[in-house]
Amino acid sequence: MRILSLFLAFCWAAISYGADTKWAGVFSNRAEGFKIVTVMVQNDGLAYFHAAIGGQIGEWKFDEPSSTLSIKFFDPSSPEDLSVQLKFDAAVRTYKLLRPGNAGDAEPSDKLAFVSDEIPEKMIEAFKAYPEKMKEIRARALAEREWKKRQEEQLERERPEYERVLAQIRKEPKSVLSNEFYSREVTPTTRAFQASLKDNDTKYPEEVLIGLLEQLPEDNHWIRAMIFARPELQARTLTKFYPRALQWGELNYTILANIAKHPNTPIETVRDLAGKDELPVGATIPAKDRLKKMEHDQKTQ
C-alpha cells in the first residue's frame, strides 16, 4: 500500500509539473535600461517580476480559459495588493505584458520570449525565504498603519489647540519667545510654532527672530534653520550671526545653506561661505551656485 501511495504521489507530481512547465521558467523582452522586463515563474506558485530598475516576488495564478498569468504583490503602503497580468501564448511559449489599453496592440518591450527553464539559484533561495519574510513585512506594515492611524487620531484631537496657538502667534508674534514653543517635545504648541515659521504669510518682526536666535538652546538647530530662511532678516542681522552660524552649521548644514540662498545675505558672506571647503558640500554648494548665477547674470546684462 505504501509503495502504491508513493507511486501515485510521484505520478501526480509529474503530471502537475508537466502541466505547469509550459508557463514556468525565465522570460524576458531582452531590452536594456528602463525598458527591461523579466519574469521568473516557479512551479510552487511564486514568481519574480522585474521591470525598469526594481523587482518583486509575488504569488501567481494561471487562468486556463484566458491563458493569463496573474502575479499578486503585497504593497506595504496600501491595504490592497497590486497585480500584473501576462498573456501566455503556448504555441511560441511567450508572454505579453498586459497594460491598461493595450489588449489588442502591445509595444515590442511588452513581449517576453522564453529564455530558460533554469531559474537562478539565488532566486530559488529567495523564493524559499519569501513566506517567512512576507510574514515579517506584513506584520511591520500593519504596525506602521496602526501607528499612523493613532497619529492621525491624535492630531485630530489636538487640532483645536493647534489652531488656537497658531492664531495667537499670528496676532502676537512676540509670544513665541518662550521655552514652551521650542522644546524637543512634539506638542500642539511646538507644531504650531514651526508651521508659522514655514509660512511666509505669517509675519515676524525681525527683533523677534533675533530674540529667538539669541535664546534658543544651542542644540536646537531645526528651529534656527527655519529662522534663517525667513524673509524678514536683514543684511546686518545675517552678517552679525554668520560667525555663530558657522558653529551651528556643524549640527545642521541647512542653516548655512539657507544663509547662502537668502536674498539679503551680503555677497561677501556668500563668497566666504563658498570658499570654506572644510564644510559639508550641502552648505557650500548653494553658496557656489549663487555666485555662478550672479556671474552669469552680469555677463548677460
Side-chain angles (χ1 to χ4, degrees), residues 26-30 92-95 111-116:
V26 180
F27 300 80
S28 177
N29 62 358
R30 301 181 186 275
V92 289
R93 201 176 180 184
T94 62
Y95 278 108
K111 296 179 181 179
L112 315 183
F114 170 73
V115 175
S116 172

Side-chain angles (χ1 to χ4, degrees), residues 70-211:
S70 299
I71 308 176
K72 181 178 67 176
F73 307 100
F74 175 65
D75 179 12
S77 64
S78 170
E80 298 181 358
D81 291 331
L82 304 177
S83 65
V84 296
Q85 284 76 42
L86 300 105
K87 183 83 170 181
F88 185 68
D89 187 337
V92 289
R93 201 176 180 184
T94 62
Y95 278 108
K96 181 180 74 172
L97 178 62
L98 299 179
R99 302 179 189 268
N102 80 340
D105 186 24
E107 295 291 331
S109 60
D110 291 341
K111 296 179 181 179
L112 315 183
F114 170 73
V115 175
S116 172
D117 283 315
E118 299 295 326
I119 295 176
E121 189 63 32
K122 286 186 177 180
M123 187 53 60
I124 292 176
E125 293 300 318
F127 285 146
K128 290 179 181 178
Y130 173 83
E132 286 302 317
K133 187 174 182 181
M134 186 49 56
K135 287 181 183 178
E136 296 177 7
I137 293 174
R138 286 183 181 275
R140 187 163 58 247
L142 178 61
E144 289 178 357
R145 282 201 289 268
E146 287 298 318
W147 179 82
K148 288 180 180 178
K149 181 181 178 181
R150 290 195 299 270
Q151 286 291 103
E152 291 171 357
E153 290 173 348
Q154 180 177 343
L155 291 177
E156 191 60 33
R157 288 194 302 270
E158 294 177 348
R159 181 181 294 278
E161 177 64 8
Y162 169 86
E163 293 179 347
R164 184 194 70 78
V165 175
L166 192 57
Q168 171 195 324
I169 292 172
R170 289 169 176 163
K171 183 179 179 180
E172 185 56 53
K174 193 176 292 186
S175 64
V176 301
L177 296 173
S178 174
N179 290 339
E180 64 175 320
F181 285 92
Y182 38 83
S183 70
R184 286 184 173 274
E185 186 179 356
V186 179
T187 67
T189 297
T190 57
R191 290 193 298 107
F193 174 44
Q194 293 183 39
S196 71
L197 285 174
K198 295 176 183 177
D199 179 21
N200 285 341
D201 289 334
T202 300
K203 304 303 180 184
Y204 271 101
E206 188 185 24
E207 59 267 23
V208 173
L209 300 176
I210 293 173

